Amino acid sequence: MANADLRVLVPPQAARAFVEGDEWLALTLLRRARDGEAHGSVRWAVLERLGGLVLIHLLREVEGTFALERADAVLDAAGVTRPTLAWLEEPPGAGDR
């Protein structure tokens, strides 16, 4: 599965909330989406990593770092590029051109 396909996992409302400065809402929506995926799957890991990045952005470094460690292990094993906050800041497809 290409990274462009994985960007569709990001709930549009979560991306919008992050861009508008409502990081807590973005985190809640990312976690809800993550919880709908199979734990330990690539889809779960993408959302877990994005949630971790939002936590770090909120200065919740310890929680965010643990989330990144959990997610990155899954993504690295699958050979999937790690998503960045740009996935929340850019419209889908913008970073894939």
Side-chain angles (χ1 to χ4, degrees):
M1 188 179 322
N3 287 343
D5 297 334
L6 293 172
R7 286 182 67 125
V8 301
L9 296 173
V10 177
Q13 303 89 341
R16 187 170 35 258
F18 185 79
V19 168
E20 292 174 357
D22 193 348
E23 292 92 347
W24 289 107
L25 177 58
L27 179 62
T28 298
L29 296 170
L30 287 168
R31 285 180 168 172
R32 286 180 184 164
R34 177 206 60 196
D35 291 347
E37 301 296 338
H39 182 81
S41 69
V42 168
R43 295 169 64 92
W44 171 89
V46 165
L47 295 164
E48 176 75 352
R49 179 171 173 73
L50 291 170
L53 293 171
V54 172
L55 282 166
I56 291 169
H57 184 78
L58 287 164
L59 303 178
R60 306 289 300 215
E61 292 92 354
V62 174
E63 293 169 89
T65 299
F66 283 132
L68 295 183
E69 289 176 358
R70 289 187 297 268
D72 290 351
V74 172
L75 296 172
D76 293 348
V80 175
T81 303
R82 298 172 180 179
T84 66
L85 281 180
W87 283 32
L88 297 177
E89 295 170 334
E90 299 173 350
D96 302 318
R97 295 179 203 165

